[in-house]
Amino acid sequence: VQLVQSGAEVKKPGESLKISCKGSGFFFPSYWIGWVRQKPGYGLEWMGIIYPGDSDTRYRPSFRGQVTISVDPSINTAYLHWSSLEASDTAMYYCARSISSGLPTMSFDIWGQGTMVTVSS
Amino acid sequence: DIVMTQTPLSLPAIPGEPASISCRSSQSLLDSDDGKTYLDWYLQKPGQSPQLLIYTLSYRASGVPDRFSGSGSGTDFTLQISRVEAEDVGVYYCMQHIEFSQMTFGQGTRLEIK
């Protein structure tokens, strides 16, 4: 059981970006997948979650409109997308899987290795 | 937003000795419908992804040593380590999920070995 994230990215302000999180070893459609941001030297912030079974997506208010969370359940992969990056988006981004299948339980027991996104001109 | 406040922010610990971290929420994390308290604890070891230690107040996640325990009620919670080991260093976060999909973390407590 694991989540494997795409590799580190270096982008310029205004560019777009989509990072990925691929699950294996479990029935991907039945578990909520969440995204967490960690700015350098800071703590953890939830961004939003998605249920691959029906693409139900929820955002924390501060991230709504700033990013798009999506999923392709046919390849067990969730995505986090920016249409126009800013320097303040520089951070490590983690995906995580909910602990229970088919239930809205927001404890997360499987985490990806993280994707470092650097936005700099 | 439910605000989570942890104390202390830095915790020097002695191997073999107990240690505890407190977490307070700005509103109750008890769900009156099912009687569960939606408070988790995570540990982020240096250079690693976070890992789940305790969920729903007091349930240890798979593979977590029994020296870790969670307790509390309402708005006040505690993570206790009965005997600290060197491998326990890292940043500990409490997290609430009483409001579906609107989870928030505490600011983190850094445990270091004295």
Side-chain angles (χ1 to χ4, degrees):
Chain A
V1 177
Q2 63 179 351
L3 296 171
V4 177
Q5 298 184 228
S6 50
E9 301 275 1
V10 179
K11 292 288 190 179
K12 290 180 167 46
E15 292 185 332
S16 65
L17 175 65
K18 180 182 278 191
I19 61 174
S20 66
C21 169
K22 183 174 177 62
S24 62
F26 64 98
F27 189 61
F28 192 79
S30 292
Y31 292 81
W32 288 89
I33 301 293
W35 287 95
V36 172
R37 181 175 77 178
Q38 186 170 38
K39 291 189 174 185
Y42 287 86
L44 305 171
E45 303 172 85
W46 278 105
M47 303 175 71
I49 56 173
I50 190 164
Y51 189 72
D54 61 7
S55 295
D56 184 2
T57 309
R58 313 290 178 96
Y59 295 93
R60 293 274 298 137
S62 56
F63 291 96
R64 189 173 295 119
Q66 307 306 306
V67 296
T68 301
I69 295 171
S70 62
V71 68
D72 185 344
S74 69
I75 56 170
N76 291 353
T77 302
Y79 301 96
L80 183 62
H81 174 250
W82 295 260
S83 59
S84 180
L85 286 160
E86 302 176 359
S88 59
D89 294 317
T90 294
M92 181 73 84
Y93 293 88
Y94 295 100
C95 63
R97 189 203 78 167
S98 62
I99 195 171
S100 297
S101 166
L103 298 174
T105 305
M106 297 289 105
S107 300
F108 290 80
D109 65 338
I110 304 295
W111 290 68
Q113 82 276 21
T115 296
M116 184 66 206
V117 175
T118 303
V119 184
S120 175
S121 54
Chain B
D1 275 12
I2 296 176
V3 177
M4 306 298 291
T5 303
Q6 292 182 227
T7 54
L9 298 184
S10 180
L11 178 59
I14 299 173
E17 295 294 309
S20 66
I21 300 169
S22 296
C23 176
R24 176 167 291 179
S25 56
S26 60
Q27 64 187 71
S28 176
L29 303 185
L30 172 65
D31 187 326
S32 56
D33 290 336
D34 62 15
K36 294 181 180 180
T37 299
Y38 288 101
L39 186 282
D40 298 346
W41 291 94
Y42 292 82
L43 166 60
Q44 186 174 30
K45 295 184 178 182
Q48 296 186 18
S49 304
Q51 61 185 87
L52 179 65
L53 291 177
I54 303 289
Y55 63 98
T56 320
L57 184 65
S58 59
Y59 296 91
R60 272 189 301 277
S62 176
V64 174
D66 61 7
R67 65 177 182 276
F68 291 93
S69 62
S71 64
S73 64
T75 61
D76 289 287
F77 311 99
T78 301
L79 175 71
Q80 293 182 307
I81 309 173
S82 59
R83 295 173 307 279
V84 172
E85 296 189 4
E87 66 181 20
D88 299 337
V89 297
V91 182
Y92 290 79
Y93 296 92
C94 59
M95 188 201 86
Q96 67 79 21
H97 53 108
I98 184 74
E99 296 179 343
F100 176 68
S101 83
Q102 300 302 309
M103 299 80 76
T104 50
F105 289 100
Q107 67 269 59
T109 295
R110 184 175 301 278
L111 184 147
E112 59 185 25
I113 297 297
K114 265 187 177 177

